[in-house]
Amino acid sequence: MAQQITTQSVIELDDAWGAHNYHPLPVVIAEAEGAWVTDVEGRRYLDFLSGYSALNFGHRHPALIAAAHEQLDRLTLTSRAFHNDRFGAFCRDLAALTGTEMVLTMNTGAEAVESAIKVARKWAYEVKGVAFDSAEIIVATNNFHGRTTTIVSFSDDPAAHDNYGPFTPGFITVPYGDAQAVRDAMGPNTAAVLMEPIQGEAGVVVPPEGFWSDVRQACDENNVLLVADEIQSGLARTGKLFALDHENVRADLYTLGKALGGGIIPVSAVVGRRDVLGVLKPGQHGSTFGGYPVAAAVGHAVVDLLSTGEFQERATELGHHLHKRLGELIGQGVAEVRGRGLWAGVDIDPAAKTGREVSMALRDQGVLCKETHERTLRMAPPLVITADEIDHAVDALAAALDA
Ligand SMILES: *Cc1c(COP(=O)(O)O)cnc(C)c1O
């Protein structure tokens, strides 16, 4: 007979059988719709994390669920050994949406970043003429680009990096937001600059104004590719399609993921210049599931949602509201608020509580979000949220800081 499912019984099961590589809040979600989730005991919570921006369109957006269902009833996987009737149209419309010329499909964000690194290196050897095996990629302090061995090779977060060596060489780290340091790090072997336009995991860190146009200029002058990791910042989160759009800067390659799969399946991509992605020839890179028919169907429906501009507008307008309301808490237990659009890093006053304590108190108030590092809450509600729901969450934060 099935045992009754309770929060406690699920947590015990997870702890007993799942690897302990996460430290979840003690809440067990069983159902969700839009901006709301329901736990196994019937309690409802406002989702203020959105799966780290994988759920930009909310839980189970009807258009995305319909696209997935329709595809599941017709064709799921072909591998790229054969053509299928979904792939090309998805790539065409994703390129049109992003103003790019070519699309390389993968599954997870980390794979998109890995792919961009491989393409940048190949471009450096075959097009730029960098000496074999000596290409360099400039990255930032406090970066987060995923969890593969190569990617953690250039992470300076000890938890992400330590004891996973030997590491992949070829990366140069400079302080995030320092354009002169990026320029100074460039040499004849530099293939690319790879950075997040706004650093998510680091606590929603926005670089100084002018940083991106200065980096773009340094890249142009030194024949270096600019690779923007928009996996978390992109696809309407900040109020524009790309966070880089706020600076009127174009990257040569963009990595996309998270929201591209509509919160349903993992879909990622590298999009960008044809003369750069064009270095890949048959057999030189790939993925069994990359761009498979279900991914193409869901990704295409995501592209359709983003084409209307509605979500970008919501993120802009509601983002102003969120930041105005959060600003009122500065000095009331909040030390600093950063971010853009519906994305905020909220530093808790060190004299008040830890991020974990505030996350727990917020859960008790019916709002789910998660700390990043000791003292920062990352807030990223689904873009379908309403102004009233934002007020509800900020009031809950005020109460949580008081509790
Ligand atoms: C989440 C994230 C990744 C990694 O994506 P996964 O799907 O977890 O592999 C890479 N870059 C950034 C900026 C991210 O936020």
Side-chain angles (χ1 to χ4, degrees):
M1 217 185 80
Q3 211 188 320
Q4 209 206 328
I5 291 175
T6 64
T7 299
Q8 200 49 41
S9 72
V10 172
I11 290 173
E12 278 166 22
L13 205 56
D14 288 4
D15 280 348
W17 295 99
H20 295 179
N21 56 328
Y22 281 89
H23 183 33
L25 281 190
V27 56
V28 179
I29 298 165
E31 284 173 42
E33 187 173 359
W36 292 85
V37 304
T38 306
D39 77 5
V40 284
E41 277 143 48
R43 285 179 293 246
R44 295 181 80 225
Y45 306 85
L46 195 52
D47 183 351
F48 239 64
L49 181 64
S50 311
Y52 304 105
S53 289
L55 289 156
N56 277 3
F57 312 101
H59 293 268
R60 299 169 50 248
H61 188 288
L64 304 181
I65 294 293
H69 275 298
E70 202 215 323
Q71 191 58 43
L72 286 173
D73 287 338
R74 207 155 61 72
L75 172 73
T76 58
L77 183 70
T78 56
S79 87
R80 296 288 302 283
F82 315 114
H83 293 274
N84 69 67
D85 63 355
R86 299 306 314 230
F87 176 76
F90 166 52
C91 293
R92 176 196 62 203
D93 290 354
L94 180 59
L97 175 75
T98 55
T100 57
E101 299 170 325
M102 201 172 244
V103 173
L104 170 66
T105 52
M106 298 298 285
N107 309 283
T108 65
E111 283 177 305
V113 174
E114 282 278 341
S115 303
I117 291 168
K118 288 174 73 176
V119 165
R121 286 177 165 183
K122 206 164 191 297
W123 173 86
Y125 300 128
E126 296 176 5
V127 180
K128 183 171 173 173
V130 170
F132 179 64
D133 259 7
S134 53
E136 291 168 348
I137 295 178
I138 299 170
V139 297
T141 49
N142 299 320
N143 68 71
F144 183 84
H145 298 285
R147 301 291 196 168
T148 65
T149 324
T150 287
I151 293 171
V152 302
S153 294
F154 57 90
S155 169
D156 54 16
D157 176 354
H161 170 277
D162 289 0
N163 290 337
Y164 292 124
F167 296 109
T168 307
F171 298 95
I172 298 175
T173 303
V174 301
Y176 186 66
D178 184 343
Q180 189 59 45
V182 174
R183 185 182 281 276
D184 291 345
M186 286 181 180
N189 293 338
T190 311
V193 173
L194 164 65
M195 289 182 192
E196 301 154 84
I198 293 175
Q199 289 187 319
E201 199 75 13
V204 196
V205 177
V206 184
E209 228 188 294
F211 171 69
W212 282 111
S213 44
D214 289 350
V215 169
R216 178 70 265 180
Q217 202 185 344
C219 286
D220 290 342
E221 288 168 16
N222 292 278
N223 194 22
V224 166
L225 300 175
L226 178 54
V227 183
D229 183 349
E230 294 262 11
I231 289 168
Q232 194 168 156
S233 59
L235 307 186
R237 171 57 54 194
T238 66
K240 294 195 184 281
L241 186 70
F242 293 133
L244 219 44
D245 294 344
H246 292 280
E247 315 295 328
N248 293 314
V249 167
R250 294 293 301 172
D252 301 298
L253 298 176
Y254 296 88
T255 53
L256 305 176
K258 292 202 166 103
L260 191 59
I264 300 175
I265 49 168
V267 182
S268 72
V270 185
V271 300
R273 276 166 50 182
R274 177 172 294 273
D275 63 321
V276 178
L277 282 168
V279 299
L280 294 178
K281 299 289 181 302
Q284 295 176 345
H285 189 57
S287 161
T288 304
F289 280 84
Y292 74 116
V294 182
V298 173
H300 209 157
V302 165
V303 168
D304 287 345
L305 289 183
L306 288 167
S307 311
T308 67
E310 179 199 333
F311 289 93
Q312 291 87 321
E313 254 169 60
R314 290 189 71 84
T316 301
E317 281 164 28
L318 293 165
H320 286 309
H321 185 62
L322 174 68
H323 282 275
K324 178 177 143 289
R325 291 294 326 271
L326 287 173
E328 294 163 11
L329 299 182
I330 293 175
Q332 319 281 321
V334 168
E336 189 184 300
V337 181
R338 296 172 300 273
R340 198 162 251 168
L342 277 174
W343 205 20
V346 179
D347 286 350
I348 308 301
D349 190 334
K353 294 191 162 78
T354 65
R356 182 79 184 183
E357 286 166 343
V358 178
S359 298
M360 289 292 284
L362 260 178
R363 178 205 64 167
D364 297 341
Q365 300 280 337
V367 176
L368 296 183
C369 78
K370 188 78 164 49
E371 74 279 4
T372 175
H373 309 292
E374 266 292 285
R375 304 233 157 250
T376 303
L377 289 187
R378 174 173 17 183
M379 298 193 143
L383 310 182
V384 296
I385 201 154
T386 65
D388 286 346
E389 288 165 341
I390 289 171
D391 287 335
H392 169 71
V394 177
D395 292 345
L397 176 59
L401 288 164
D402 262 350

